[in-house]
């Protein structure tokens, strides 16, 4: 859930205060009381959708559904799923006819698992996101105004600083931005100096970026960088990554799951259990018998996260099929942290491979180049050697020339000038699929250890 908070998006102090007070109470309520709050939000969102959203008006009419039939959260399962493809094709119909009154902004997902999706997020969902992070980080001692560091690419790319500026300190936000496109041995000392100078208590970033930063820092005998807690997000956190990060920075890593569409949030508590934040969104876990490689005990099964907006009025997403999987216990235990939010065993989530560039950098967010290319329907980057990146892409034939030029320009922001880019226009059937039919936007077959952290 890589979110960059802007002050103007969250200039609603009273609304933030009220929701924070409510959320702080919710986490300690018994689950029945949490469900009652959740259901009150569902009814309000459904009532709004049936009065202002053409898509749901037609959907309820076509299936003979009425608001009176939704008497419990489980009754929501009577409503057909909203898939990502349906969201793409029905963007206009899914926008509320009074969306402008909620001050929405258009957002889009990253293209890590296929083509990007556009949707609206309003001021209520911005307040939700802010309060969610405030509460979640607060579990580990964070107080508003504490200094923190964040690994990010977008800020530096927007300013054409992706290859030249390793970090930026924002004193008003007390945030130290670390340029994730600059992750290379030559910048390790700059990162360490910045971290020691500004002394952030917390660090957040994509799992792969946190791992790469740890590889760089642990090779410096004088790094002596420590945090109170590290927050991993946006990708699957692998066991060897967690171990390296924790050993390097002498603190625990706490993992979380979310998505830009803001229908579901799952995060680890101080006891290490993954809690579903039931007041953030309504989550149904629908069993999925995918053949994805995943070790399961007899007591476990895989489930897809189906999320429902509880706070977004501009474009409420109801029964939204995220495509993301979690490992679930058939008999979940009560967490000793005291929070009644339900738990899952682990997040299967998204795997994103790391591209190693000829100039010794490691890049994790190259899929952002796809999002920045208008007219691109689908793209996939495959690296089999350090100096060559093969990019398969699909677009309308009449847009081919413009798409290719823009795609090359956007890729160069990440790869630099030394990488040879080979673009191949392809049909969807030609893209490489993972076992189980999963799509990955970035595939690397290059040895990371040999080509990145241990380069001289």
């Amino acid at each position: 859930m890589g979110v960059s908070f802007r002050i103007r998006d969250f200039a609603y102090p009273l609304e933030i205060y009220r929701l924070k007070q409510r959320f702080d109470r919710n986490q300690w309520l018994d689950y029945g009381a949490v469900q009652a709050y959740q259901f009150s939000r569902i009814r309000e969102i459904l009532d709004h959708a049936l009065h202002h959203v053409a898509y749901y008006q037609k959907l309820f009419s076509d299936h003979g559904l009425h608001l009176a039939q939704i008497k419990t959260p489980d009754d929501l399962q009577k409503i057909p799923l909203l898939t990502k493809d349906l969201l793409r094709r029905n963007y206009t119909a899914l926008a509320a006819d009074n969306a402008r009154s909620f001050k929405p902004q258009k957002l889009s997902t990253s293209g890590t698992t296929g083509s990007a999706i556009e949707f609206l997020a309003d001021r209520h969902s911005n307040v939700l996101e802010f309060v969610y992070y405030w509460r979640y980080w607060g579990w580990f001692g964070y107080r508003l105004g504490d200094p923190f560091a964040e690994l990010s690419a977008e800020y530096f790319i927007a300013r054409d600083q992706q290859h030249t500026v390793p970090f930026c300190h924002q004193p008003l936000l007390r945030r130290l931005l670390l340029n994730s496109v600059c992750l290379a041995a030559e910048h390790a000392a700059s990162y360490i100096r910045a971290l020691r100078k500004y002394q952030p208590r917390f660090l957040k970033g994509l799992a792969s970026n946190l791992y790469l930063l740890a590889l760089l820092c642990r090779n410096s005998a004088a790094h002596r960088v420590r945090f109170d807690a590290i927050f991993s997000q946006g990708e699957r956190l692998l066991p060897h990554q967690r171990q390296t990060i924790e050993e390097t920075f002498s603190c625990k890593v706490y993992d979380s799951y979310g998505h830009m569409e803001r229908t579901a949030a799952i995060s680890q508590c101080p006891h290490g259990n993954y809690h579903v934040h039931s007041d953030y969104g309504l989550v149904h876990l629908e069993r999925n018998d995918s053949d994805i490689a995943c070790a399961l005990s007899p007591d476990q099964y895989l489930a897809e996260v189906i999320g429902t907006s509880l706070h977004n009025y501009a474009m409420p997403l109801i029964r939204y099929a995220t495509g993301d999987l979690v490992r679930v216990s058939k008999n979940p235990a009560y967490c000793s942290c005291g929070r009644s939010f339900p738990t899952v065993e682990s997040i299967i989530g998204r795997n994103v491979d790391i591209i190693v560039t000829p100039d010794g950098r490691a890049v994790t967010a190259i899929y952002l180049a796809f999002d920045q290319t208008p007219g691109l329907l689908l793209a996939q980057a495959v690296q089999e050697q350090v100096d060559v990146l093969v990019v398969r892409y699909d677009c309308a034939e009449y847009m081919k020339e413009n798409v290719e030029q823009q795609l090359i320009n956007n890729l160069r922001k990440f790869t630099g000038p030394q990488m040879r880019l080979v673009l191949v226009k392809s049909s969807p059937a030609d893209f490489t699929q993972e076992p189980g039919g999963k799509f990955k936007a970035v595939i690397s077959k290059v040895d990371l250890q040999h080509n990145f952290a241990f380069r001289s």
Side-chain angles (χ1 to χ4, degrees), residues 156 161 163-168 177-180 182 187 190-191:
F156 299 94
Q161 298 173 337
H163 300 141
T164 57
V165 179
F167 67 89
C168 171
L177 284 172
L178 303 176
N179 186 349
S180 63
C182 266
H187 295 300
S190 295
Y191 290 129

Side-chain angles (χ1 to χ4, degrees), residues 265-289:
I266 303 173
S267 62
Q268 282 187 295
C269 73
H271 290 256
N273 291 316
Y274 286 90
H275 287 268
V276 179
H277 291 249
S278 303
D279 47 4
Y280 180 100
L282 172 67
V283 172
H284 283 114
L285 299 175
E286 297 200 354
R287 186 163 186 143
N288 184 296
D289 294 321

Side-chain angles (χ1 to χ4, degrees), residues 93 232 269 390 424:
S232 168
C269 73
V390 177
V424 182

Side-chain angles (χ1 to χ4, degrees), residues 335-366:
C335 182
S336 55
C337 77
R339 296 174 179 86
S340 62
F341 295 153
T343 60
V344 298
E345 294 293 302
S346 63
I347 300 162
I348 304 303
R350 302 172 284 269
N351 265 359
V352 178
D353 285 2
I354 297 168
I355 297 297
V356 181
T357 64
D359 56 359
R361 293 176 297 108
V363 180
T364 60
I366 202 167

Side-chain angles (χ1 to χ4, degrees), residues 151-411:
L151 281 154
S152 175
E154 292 92 333
Y155 175 89
F156 299 94
I157 289 173
R159 292 157 178 80
D160 199 24
Q161 298 173 337
Q162 62 271 22
H163 300 141
T164 57
V165 179
F167 67 89
C168 171
H169 184 244
Q170 299 174 315
L172 185 62
L173 297 176
R174 304 206 71 190
R175 175 169 67 173
L176 175 64
L177 284 172
L178 303 176
N179 186 349
S180 63
V181 186
C182 266
L183 287 166
E186 64 181 287
H187 295 300
S190 295
Y191 290 129
I192 292 169
R193 281 196 300 271
L195 289 168
R196 293 178 65 180
K197 177 179 179 180
Y198 297 108
Q199 299 185 335
R201 292 183 57 200
F202 305 91
L203 171 67
K204 82 162 183 171
L206 296 175
S208 52
N209 283 335
L210 295 170
Y211 174 62
L212 293 171
L213 182 66
L215 289 179
L216 290 177
C217 288
R218 77 174 186 178
N219 287 334
S220 172
H223 82 79
R224 298 196 303 275
V225 175
R226 290 175 174 80
F227 302 96
D228 290 359
I230 295 176
F231 303 110
S232 168
Q233 60 185 42
E235 300 168 357
R236 187 195 301 194
L237 177 64
L238 302 175
H240 76 276
Q241 294 175 330
R242 183 190 290 273
Q243 180 179 351
T244 298
I245 297 165
E246 292 183 344
E247 289 176 351
T248 302
F249 298 119
S250 303
C251 73
K252 290 288 187 181
V253 178
Y254 296 98
D255 192 24
S256 65
Y257 161 83
H259 58 160
M260 291 293 292
E261 297 93 314
R262 301 177 184 175
T263 70
I266 303 173
S267 62
Q268 282 187 295
C269 73
H271 290 256
N273 291 316
Y274 286 90
H275 287 268
V276 179
H277 291 249
S278 303
D279 47 4
Y280 180 100
L282 172 67
V283 172
H284 283 114
L285 299 175
E286 297 200 354
R287 186 163 186 143
N288 184 296
D289 294 321
S290 169
D291 61 355
I292 185 172
C294 179
L296 295 171
S297 71
D299 183 48
Q300 296 176 341
Y301 63 93
L302 288 181
E304 181 179 0
V305 176
I306 309 297
T308 294
S309 306
L310 296 184
H311 299 268
N312 188 1
Y313 291 84
M315 185 176 280
L317 304 181
I318 299 168
R319 297 269 293 150
Y320 182 60
T322 67
D324 295 318
L325 302 178
V326 293
R327 186 189 284 110
V328 181
S329 172
K330 296 175 184 175
N331 300 292
Y334 177 77
C335 182
S336 55
C337 77
R339 296 174 179 86
S340 62
F341 295 153
T343 60
V344 298
E345 294 293 302
S346 63
I347 300 162
I348 304 303
R350 302 172 284 269
N351 265 359
V352 178
D353 285 2
I354 297 168
I355 297 297
V356 181
T357 64
D359 56 359
R361 293 176 297 108
V363 180
T364 60
I366 202 167
Y367 54 81
L368 292 174
F370 304 154
D371 296 349
Q372 297 163 1
T373 305
L376 191 66
L377 299 176
L378 191 65
Q380 183 179 61
V382 180
Q383 183 181 33
E384 295 191 354
Q385 56 192 80
V386 171
D387 59 347
V388 180
L389 189 66
V390 177
V391 180
R392 295 188 177 279
Y393 74 95
D394 186 23
C395 70
E397 188 63 35
Y398 74 92
M399 298 187 69
K400 180 176 183 293
E401 186 175 342
N402 287 338
V403 165
E404 281 202 354
Q405 188 55 57
Q406 290 195 54
L407 183 54
I408 289 172
N409 292 340
N410 291 331
L411 287 167

